[in-house]
C-alpha cells in the first residue's frame, strides 16, 4: 500500500514517516518545501502524479498564539489545505486521514469530551482546525479525522522541550495548574493512524468519521511538568529538579484563550483498535532517552 504523508518533518509527520517504512508501507513523505498544501493545483498535480492508496495529512499551522495575528495563514493551512487534499482524494476515491485538535472545544464541560459534543473554539487556531474538519467531512466519506491533544515528540518544538530549557535556566518555575488535558506522544498518534491504515489495506470494514485520541492519564500542565522533571532527573539530565509552582491561567495570560478542560474521551477509537490508549509517561521516557543519547 502506498501512503502519502504531508507535513512529514513535523512531530507527528516524522514519526509517521519512520514507522510507516518500518511497517513495510510504500511511503511518499513530503513537507512544505515539496508540497505546500495551500496550493490547490500543486495538491492535485502531486496526487495525480503519485496516485497514493491513502493520504495522511500531518501538515498544519500549529502556533496557537501566533495564529491570533496570522489569521489568513492559519486558515489557509488548517482549513483550505485539508479541503484541497480532501477534494483531490474524493475525485480519485482515495481515503484521507486528517488530524485535528482538542482546542475545538471551549473547555466548559466538566467531563471528557466525546465526538458528539458541540465544538466551540475560543481562538483562531481552534476555529481554523474546526473549519478544516468540516471541510474534510463535507468533501469525502472515506475520511478519518483524529482529534489529538498536547502533542510531544522527539522532533520540533513542544512543552517538554520548553520545560527542559527553562529548568536549565531557573531554579523555580510557575506552570498553569488549572487547565486539564491529555499529553499525547507523537509516536503513539502515528502508530494509531498506521493501525487504521493496515485496516484499510486489508479491506476491513472501518467506520469513517471523527475520533478522539489522547494519552492517559489526563493531567494539568503542572502535572505534566512535574513528571518531565522527575523523569529528567532519573535519566541524569538534571541533578535536581526546579521547584514547579502551581499558577492559574489568569497568572499566565496568553494571546489565545485555552480551554480549561480539553480532556478527550478516547473510547470510540479504543473499541476499534481493541485496546486502551497508551500511558504518555512511556512516550515521555522514549523522548528523553532519545534526546539524552544524541
Ligand atoms: N502540537 C500540538 O500540541 C497539537 C495539539 C493538538 C492537535 N495537534 C494537531 O496534530 C497535527 C500534527 O501536529 P504536529 O505537532 O506534528 O505539528 P508540527 O510539528 O507543527 O508539524 C506540522 C508540519 O506541517 C508543515 N506545514 C506547515 N504549513 C504547511 C503547508 N502549507 N504545506 C505543507 N506543510 C506545511 C510544517 O512545516 P514548517 O515547520 O516548515 O512550517 C511542519 O513540518 C496537526 O494537525 C495539529 O493541528 C497538534
Amino acid at each position: 500500500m502506498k501512503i502519502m504523508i504531508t507535513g512529514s518533518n513535523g512531530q507527528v509527520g516524522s514519526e509517521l514517516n519512520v514507522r510507516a517504512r518500518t511497517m513495510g508501507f510504500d511511503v511518499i513523505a513530503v513537507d512544505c518545501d515539496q508540497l505546500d498544501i495551500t496550493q490547490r493545483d500543486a495538491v492535485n498535480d502531486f496526487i495525480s502524479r503519485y496516485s497514493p492508496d491513502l493520504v495522511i495529512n500531518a501538515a498544519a499551522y500549529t502556533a496557537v498564539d501566533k495564529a491570533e495575528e496570522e489569521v489568513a495563514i492559519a486558515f489557509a493551512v488548517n482549513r483550505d489545505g485539508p479541503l484541497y487534499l480532501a477534494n483531490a482524494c474524493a475525485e480519485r476515491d482515495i481515503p484521507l486521514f486528517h488530524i485535528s485538535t482538542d482546542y475545538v472545544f471551549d473547555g466548559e464541560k466538566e467531563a471528557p469530551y466525546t465526538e458528539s459534543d458541540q465544538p466551540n473554539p475560543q481562538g483562531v487556531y481552534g476555529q481554523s482546525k474546526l473549519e478544516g474538519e468540516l471541510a474534510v467531512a463535507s468533501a469525502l466519506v472515506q475520511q478519518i479525522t483524529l482529534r489529538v491533544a498536547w502533542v510531544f515528540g522527539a522532533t520540533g518544538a513542544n512543552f517538554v522541550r520548553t520545560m527542559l530549557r527553562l529548568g536549565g535556566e531557573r531554579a523555580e518555575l510557575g506552570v498553569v495548574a488549572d487547565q486539564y488535558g491529555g499529553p499525547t506522544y507523537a509516536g503513539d498518534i502515528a502508530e494509531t493512524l498506521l493501525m487504521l491504515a493496515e485496516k484499510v489495506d486489508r479491506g476491513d470494514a472501518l467506520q469513517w468519521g471523527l475520533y478522539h485520541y489522547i494519552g492517559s492519564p489526563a493531567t494539568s500542565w503542572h502535572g505534566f511538568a512535574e513528571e518531565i522533571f522527575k523523569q529528567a532527573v532519573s535519566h541524569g539530565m538534571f541533578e535536581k529538579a526546579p521547584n514547579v509552582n502551581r499558577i492559574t491561567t489568569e497568572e499566565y495570560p496568553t494571546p489565545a484563550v485555552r480551554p480549561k478542560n480539553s480532556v478527550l474521551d478516547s473510547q470510540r477509537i479504543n473499541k476499534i483498535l481493541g485496546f486502551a490508549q497508551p500511558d504518555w509517561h512511556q512516550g515521555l521516557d522514549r523522548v528523553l532517552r532519545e534526546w539524552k543519547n544524541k
Side-chain angles (χ1 to χ4, degrees):
M1 184 189 212
K2 198 195 289 180
I3 303 181
M4 171 178 158
I5 300 165
T6 59
S8 63
N9 293 341
Q11 298 198 85
V12 176
S14 57
E15 293 286 350
L16 278 167
N17 189 6
V18 171
R19 285 160 196 257
R21 287 171 204 274
T22 307
M23 286 167 79
F25 289 113
D26 187 3
V27 177
I28 313 155
V30 283
D31 210 280
C32 216
D33 46 353
Q34 295 121 312
L35 178 65
D36 178 346
I37 63 163
T38 68
Q39 302 304 308
R40 186 174 21 204
D41 293 345
V43 167
N44 259 315
D45 292 349
F46 197 93
I47 292 183
S48 277
R49 183 161 4 120
Y50 290 98
S51 18
D53 302 302
L54 170 71
V55 175
I56 305 183
N57 179 33
Y61 179 102
T62 54
V64 175
D65 288 318
K66 228 163 130 194
E68 296 298 310
E69 281 179 15
E70 297 189 335
V71 180
I73 305 176
F75 276 92
V77 183
N78 293 341
R79 177 196 57 200
D80 303 343
L83 175 64
Y84 302 152
L85 287 166
N87 281 337
C89 286
E91 273 171 30
R92 297 163 183 84
D93 211 19
I94 302 169
L96 171 67
F97 291 177
H98 179 58
I99 308 170
S100 192
T101 175
D102 53 332
Y103 282 10
V104 297
F105 293 114
D106 61 20
E108 295 302 319
K109 192 178 173 186
E110 285 176 4
Y113 282 93
T114 67
E115 291 83 352
S116 53
D117 283 317
Q118 189 60 37
N120 182 25
Q122 298 297 292
V124 170
Y125 168 73
Q127 185 66 37
S128 66
K129 292 294 294 182
L130 176 61
E131 292 189 24
E133 289 181 3
L134 297 172
V136 167
S138 65
L140 89 166
V141 173
Q142 293 186 89
Q143 62 89 18
I144 297 244
T145 296
L146 193 69
R147 284 191 187 134
V148 300
W150 297 21
V151 179
F152 67 92
T155 308
N158 56 48
F159 184 74
V160 181
R161 206 181 275 280
T162 305
M163 284 301 111
L164 294 185
R165 177 174 53 77
L166 293 176
E169 293 166 3
R170 305 181 200 166
E172 200 144 344
L173 300 177
V175 180
V176 172
D178 59 358
Q179 289 171 25
Y180 295 89
T184 312
Y185 172 47
D188 289 334
I189 298 170
E191 202 101 323
T192 298
L193 289 168
L194 292 169
M195 280 168 143
L196 296 173
E198 278 181 323
K199 287 185 181 292
V200 171
D201 197 19
R202 283 196 301 262
D204 292 357
L206 194 58
Q207 247 191 315
W208 302 106
L210 186 60
Y211 291 89
H212 286 177
Y213 179 84
I214 57 165
S216 170
T219 186
S220 65
W221 290 112
H222 176 269
F224 191 12
E226 285 210 311
E227 181 62 23
I228 292 167
F229 289 117
K230 186 172 147 206
Q231 289 200 17
V233 169
S234 80
H235 282 299
M237 298 167 86
F238 276 88
E239 220 166 86
K240 186 177 177 297
N243 290 327
V244 184
N245 301 320
R246 293 166 186 275
I247 62 169
T248 62
T249 299
E250 286 69 32
E251 289 172 289
Y252 188 74
T254 50
V257 177
R258 268 105 171 136
K260 286 253 162 129
N261 168 37
S262 67
V263 177
L264 304 180
D265 181 329
S266 306
Q267 286 184 59
R268 185 167 189 230
I269 192 95
N270 290 348
K271 263 189 213 137
I272 286 205
L273 297 177
F275 54 79
Q277 76 270 29
D279 186 328
W280 57 265
H281 294 77
Q282 288 159 19
L284 178 60
D285 179 65
R286 281 187 73 155
V287 169
L288 295 184
R289 275 177 206 280
E290 211 173 312
W291 285 345
K292 191 185 156 196
N293 295 331
K294 262 198 177 152

